[in-house]
Amino acid sequence: MARRPLVAGNWKMNGLKSSIGELEKIVAGARSLRDTDVMICPPATLIESFAAAASGSAVTIGGQDCHAQAEGAYTGEISAEMLRDAGARAVIVGHSERRQYHCETNEVVRAKLLAALRADLLAILCVGETRAERDGGRTHEVVDSQLDGSLPDGTKNVVIAYEPIWAIGSGETPTASDVGAMHGFIRELLAVKCGQAAAEIRILYGGSVKPSNAKELLAVDNVDGALVGGASLKAEDFLAIAGVYG
Ligand code: PGA
């Protein structure tokens, strides 16, 4: 089963209106990529202008988080419907920084994922263990319970991002064989939860993906692309990563 790779950039809380030039470079560079889906998830303030600049190109725009409700008295929040209205076609849910700094539980993440599907957005669901959990031999257990708690059975329009928390922004990555083992494990869990659709669900690797390690990490079995943080802020680096698949 050939899954079309996806390379998505998560800009986190970075970027101003003046960053549009970087997006334009990404849009121009992505023109030559025939076999890869390319996405940028800028801060919410830039979604509308980025979606306009990427319109008609191979680059799609995503949000970084959404609220579970469609509308209402939730000061400061942004709903999945609002993201779609602004031009987003996808949204990241359950990023470890949301889980950690905003105390998002699996239950909250699950509700956000359902909101994304309701608004017809592709949901990118993040899972991954902390350093302490890994050292304690609990990686499989943690990822299993995150997937079980936040992914509704039978979900189709979803991408999983395996992001070991200790690898995010640290410059450290698991070995290619560790990544392969985890992605294989996640594929098995998906088969139980989603049946035949599991074979079509893309599993991205995230955590310190850079031009220098992308080729090795993205060649691993069951790695169907990358979720890129820091290195997605520079068009040249991001395109070098996205260009691995051609
Ligand atoms: P990083 O972030 O590439 O800067 O490690 C990845 C992420 O948090 O999605």
Side-chain angles (χ1 to χ4, degrees), residues 10 12 95-97 163 167-170 206-209 227-231:
N10 173 11
K12 308 191 180 186
H95 189 279
S96 62
E97 286 149 18
E163 300 206 301
I168 294 178
S170 66
S208 294
V209 178
L227 183 55
V228 186

Side-chain angles (χ1 to χ4, degrees), residues 8-25:
N10 173 11
W11 277 23
K12 308 191 180 186
M13 199 173 72
N14 296 288
L16 299 170
K17 281 197 277 186
S18 55
S19 315
I20 191 95
E22 224 53 41
L23 190 262
E24 285 166 351
K25 280 192 227 162

Side-chain angles (χ1 to χ4, degrees), residues 159-243:
V159 169
I160 308 298
Y162 170 59
E163 300 206 301
I165 295 168
W166 52 274
I168 294 178
S170 66
E172 279 184 82
T173 61
T175 63
S177 96
D178 280 352
V179 170
M182 277 315 291
H183 280 234
F185 174 66
I186 291 170
R187 180 82 56 209
E188 285 169 23
L189 297 175
L190 291 174
V192 174
K193 284 192 84 65
C194 304
Q196 286 189 341
E200 288 163 39
I201 295 176
R202 291 172 288 189
I203 308 174
L204 313 184
Y205 169 75
S208 294
V209 178
K210 296 174 280 208
S212 58
N213 61 20
K215 213 170 171 188
E216 189 191 8
L217 291 168
L218 298 190
V220 173
D221 244 19
N222 280 309
V223 173
D224 307 307
L227 183 55
V228 186
S232 71
L233 293 169
K234 272 205 185 144
E236 197 188 345
D237 289 352
F238 183 67
L239 287 168
I241 296 166

